Amino acid sequence: MNLRFMKKMNKKLLVLAFFTAFGFLRAQDTDEAVLMKSDTTSSTKKVKLDGIAAVIGDYVILDSDIEKTLIDLRSQGASTQDITKCSLLGKLMEDRLYAHQAVQDSLLVSDDQVNAQSDRQIQQLVSQVGSMEKVLKFYKKTDVESFRTELFEINKLRMLSEKMQSSIVEEIEVTPEEVRQFFGKIPEDERPVFGAELEIAQIVKQPTAPEEEKQKVIDRLMQIRQDVLENDASFNVKAILYSQDPGSKSKGGFYSMTRETPFVKEFKDVAFSLQQGEISEPFETDFGYHIIYIEKIRGQELDLRHILLIPEIPQIALDTAVKELDSIRQQILDGKYSFADAALNFSDEKETKFDGGLLRNPINFDSRFELTKMDPALYNQVRNLKDEEISRPIKEDDQRGGPPKFKIMKISNRYDEHKADFAKDYLKIQELALREKQFKAIKDWMDEHIDDTYIHVNTDNRGCDFANKWVKE
């Protein structure tokens, strides 16, 4: 697998990220679905309802599924110029093989997890277009229940597929020697070119609420808890009325979670210390103060509801944070501190302060950010900064609902567009080497399980030049 192939695979993965899965049906060994219909002469004739493109294990892929996927890609703004019916069918077959084998291997996802994901998607859609009625009209659905049913089927297949793929590659690693060999095999004229990059450092001040405001929130949560326990008030209703968590407020504070769910440690520690039906005492996280009610325990999975209240931060605390940053900035400009020393001594952001304030790319934890791939919000904060210039204080709101923070920023280094260098770009080359090894593992897995799984491809599609050997001799 050379770099040209890797580039094709990357492009393929980018396009396939838009795919949705349709056609969750029981397998039948037939080339087309037909409907028996009576005419006026009482004779019957076959009317073609929908062609069956392929069957993978217990999953059927209809011709209409391919058309739906193509329409979905276009609706999301993806270019479909180079996408063929055969390539779409091949991807839908891959998804179903993953899902089929996940069930065989007992890599299951619960209905509650699927419903929670569907609820989040519906909330996002409603917030984007304004109402549930507009969502139903856009997706040409007559009622909410039919929309939820189809969304459930789509999400379950996708989540099974993702779980299977993750299990294939989760333990794959590359050694430094494998990275060196991978890079050495790339011809000089085919080595990747990395775009212009920045290294960015910041010093953060996080305003905090005074103790009296924190106590007000704690007392309010205790009142809510007492009302539920002693007066049989509804925790669900209380969460809808009072919670300040935008992600769960409309659902009565509901979350379904396991120990692997990406919640902050303090939240998970409390949640998994409670018994079914128990309500926690108020506790603090970076987001504010919470109480948790455990609705149901299913093995290692919890259904819970929570209420988040955020102590009010007075304007004087916000103004103080800005003044402190202005003072720190001036001391750096006057030469009293280097930016790195000021970050270590004054920054409230523990993730960056011990590294000179240096930001890490969340994709690969490298210190560099490629300009064409930067988060737009981060790019807008630094795009006008010159080398060694330090920004004025910038306010940054927490999209997750937490309190705002203020920061000053600096571009520590700029790297022009350049051909890959093993020493300078080791982390990026390591990522490419790992991806190649993962692709090979997935290809080997695919070949093995295609042989072991019932697969039927409609005669009209057997001439496709599939990436995998779907058509068996």
Side-chain angles (χ1 to χ4, degrees):
M1 194 183 299
N2 59 30
L3 195 65
R4 258 193 297 248
F5 179 73
M6 291 287 291
K7 289 177 179 177
K8 290 179 182 177
M9 289 298 289
N10 288 340
K11 182 178 179 182
K12 179 182 176 186
L13 286 175
L14 183 62
V15 172
L16 299 185
F18 289 97
F19 280 5
T20 54
F22 291 90
F24 185 92
L25 302 172
R26 189 72 186 169
Q28 302 175 45
D29 188 7
T30 179
D31 279 353
E32 63 181 28
V34 297
L35 176 68
M36 302 302 294
K37 182 178 179 181
S38 297
D39 62 16
T40 55
T41 62
S42 299
S43 62
T44 59
K45 62 180 180 178
K46 291 184 177 181
V47 180
K48 185 171 180 181
L49 180 63
D50 198 356
I52 292 180
V55 179
I56 306 293
D58 287 342
Y59 293 91
V60 167
I61 303 171
L62 301 174
D63 288 332
S64 60
D65 296 334
I66 301 172
E67 295 303 319
K68 286 178 184 177
T69 306
L70 191 62
I71 292 169
D72 192 62
L73 281 167
R74 288 171 179 158
S75 71
Q76 296 185 59
S79 172
T80 58
Q81 183 176 355
D82 298 326
I83 297 176
T84 65
K85 176 185 175 182
C86 287
S87 65
L88 285 175
L89 176 58
K91 176 59 173 65
L92 294 177
M93 292 170 76
E94 288 177 13
D95 286 341
R96 281 146 182 80
L97 182 59
Y98 288 131
H100 170 79
Q101 194 59 42
V103 174
Q104 306 306 308
D105 293 350
S106 298
L107 299 175
L108 305 180
V109 293
S110 71
D111 288 354
D112 289 327
Q113 287 177 296
V114 181
N115 283 323
Q117 175 63 23
S118 299
D119 286 343
R120 285 192 289 271
Q121 290 173 332
I122 289 172
Q123 287 176 3
Q124 290 171 355
L125 289 169
V126 170
S127 67
Q128 288 170 4
V129 302
S131 70
M132 191 67 210
E133 289 74 18
K134 291 181 180 179
V135 172
L136 295 176
K137 183 178 179 181
F138 179 82
Y139 285 97
K140 299 180 180 178
K141 295 296 176 184
T142 57
D143 58 87
V144 175
E145 191 57 37
S146 64
F147 181 61
R148 281 186 177 278
T149 299
E150 182 165 341
L151 197 57
F152 177 90
E153 293 170 353
I154 291 169
N155 282 329
K156 185 151 193 175
L157 190 146
R158 178 184 57 77
M159 292 167 76
L160 284 170
S161 176
E162 289 174 353
K163 201 160 192 176
M164 188 71 249
Q165 291 178 69
S166 296
S167 73
I168 298 168
V169 302
E170 64 185 355
E171 295 184 0
I172 295 177
E173 297 178 346
V174 287
T175 65
E177 178 59 22
E178 287 176 316
V179 178
R180 187 191 65 78
Q181 291 178 5
F182 167 80
F183 187 71
K185 287 188 297 185
I186 304 174
E188 179 72 29
D189 61 343
E190 292 185 17
R191 289 183 177 171
V193 174
F194 296 125
E197 297 170 311
L198 300 178
E199 282 187 343
I200 303 166
Q202 64 184 26
I203 297 172
V204 176
K205 280 294 173 185
Q206 181 72 68
T208 59
E211 291 302 318
E212 57 267 26
E213 291 297 329
K214 294 180 182 179
Q215 192 59 50
K216 284 182 186 178
V217 163
I218 294 171
D219 292 343
R220 182 70 183 116
L221 287 172
M222 287 297 293
Q223 290 173 1
I224 294 172
R225 181 177 185 272
Q226 186 175 2
D227 197 21
V228 173
L229 291 174
E230 297 182 3
N231 302 319
D232 203 26
S234 169
F235 196 101
N236 184 350
V237 172
K238 295 284 189 183
I240 292 172
L241 291 174
Y242 304 118
S243 182
Q244 293 176 270
D245 175 19
S248 69
K249 177 183 177 69
S250 63
K251 299 181 296 180
F254 180 81
Y255 283 117
S256 181
M257 62 179 287
T258 68
R259 290 192 180 275
E260 285 70 46
T261 306
F263 282 65
V264 293
K265 181 179 182 299
E266 297 89 347
F267 192 94
K268 287 198 285 189
D269 286 347
V270 172
F272 282 96
S273 71
L274 299 172
Q275 301 298 314
Q276 186 166 306
E278 191 175 359
I279 302 177
S280 74
E281 299 281 344
F283 66 96
E284 185 179 13
T285 71
D286 289 340
F287 300 100
Y289 287 85
H290 314 249
I291 53 173
I292 292 176
Y293 165 61
I294 302 299
E295 196 165 84
K296 191 172 183 180
I297 298 177
R298 299 185 309 280
Q300 297 301 309
E301 190 171 349
L302 303 178
D303 284 350
L304 62 83
R305 296 185 186 274
H306 91 119
I307 295 172
L308 167 68
L309 296 183
I310 303 171
E312 184 176 349
I313 300 176
Q315 186 61 46
I316 189 171
L318 304 180
D319 295 341
T320 298
V322 173
K323 289 178 182 178
E324 288 178 352
L325 285 173
D326 275 329
S327 176
I328 293 166
R329 178 178 181 272
Q330 191 59 51
Q331 290 181 75
I332 296 170
L333 294 175
D334 292 342
K336 185 173 181 179
Y337 297 101
S338 67
F339 196 96
D341 287 340
L344 178 62
N345 285 287
F346 305 116
S347 182
D348 292 337
E349 188 172 62
K350 57 186 177 183
E351 294 85 359
T352 60
K353 67 180 298 179
F354 299 107
D355 198 13
L358 201 62
L359 286 173
R360 292 286 169 180
N361 193 324
I363 297 173
N364 57 12
F365 298 101
D366 191 5
S367 61
R368 300 183 189 182
F369 292 81
E370 191 169 339
L371 282 175
T372 57
K373 299 177 182 179
M374 281 179 68
D375 178 88
L378 178 61
Y379 175 74
N380 286 332
Q381 289 172 345
V382 300
R383 63 179 180 176
N384 295 322
L385 283 180
K386 300 179 176 60
D387 291 345
E388 300 305 315
E389 183 182 0
I390 301 172
S391 75
R392 294 286 182 178
I394 299 168
K395 181 183 179 183
E396 183 172 277
D397 293 318
D398 191 328
Q399 295 180 350
R400 302 170 300 178
K405 63 184 179 183
F406 296 84
K407 58 186 182 179
I408 54 175
M409 307 183 75
K410 172 187 175 183
I411 295 175
S412 301
N413 281 300
R414 294 181 191 265
Y415 300 90
D416 295 331
E417 182 177 278
H418 63 283
K419 187 175 287 190
D421 179 279
F422 185 75
K424 294 179 181 178
D425 301 303
Y426 179 82
L427 288 176
K428 292 185 179 65
I429 296 164
Q430 181 187 49
E431 184 182 355
L432 291 174
L434 175 61
R435 202 174 301 165
E436 182 193 54
K437 195 172 181 179
Q438 290 173 336
F439 283 147
K440 184 178 185 305
I442 286 176
K443 186 69 170 66
D444 291 345
W445 182 94
M446 191 70 65
D447 290 343
E448 176 187 347
H449 288 84
I450 285 175
D451 287 341
D452 296 341
T453 306
Y454 171 75
I455 294 173
H456 174 80
V457 180
N458 184 295
T459 53
D460 293 341
N461 299 314
R462 289 176 186 171
C464 286
D465 183 20
F466 292 118
N468 298 298
K469 296 180 181 179
W470 297 112
V471 180
K472 299 182 181 181
E473 299 297 334

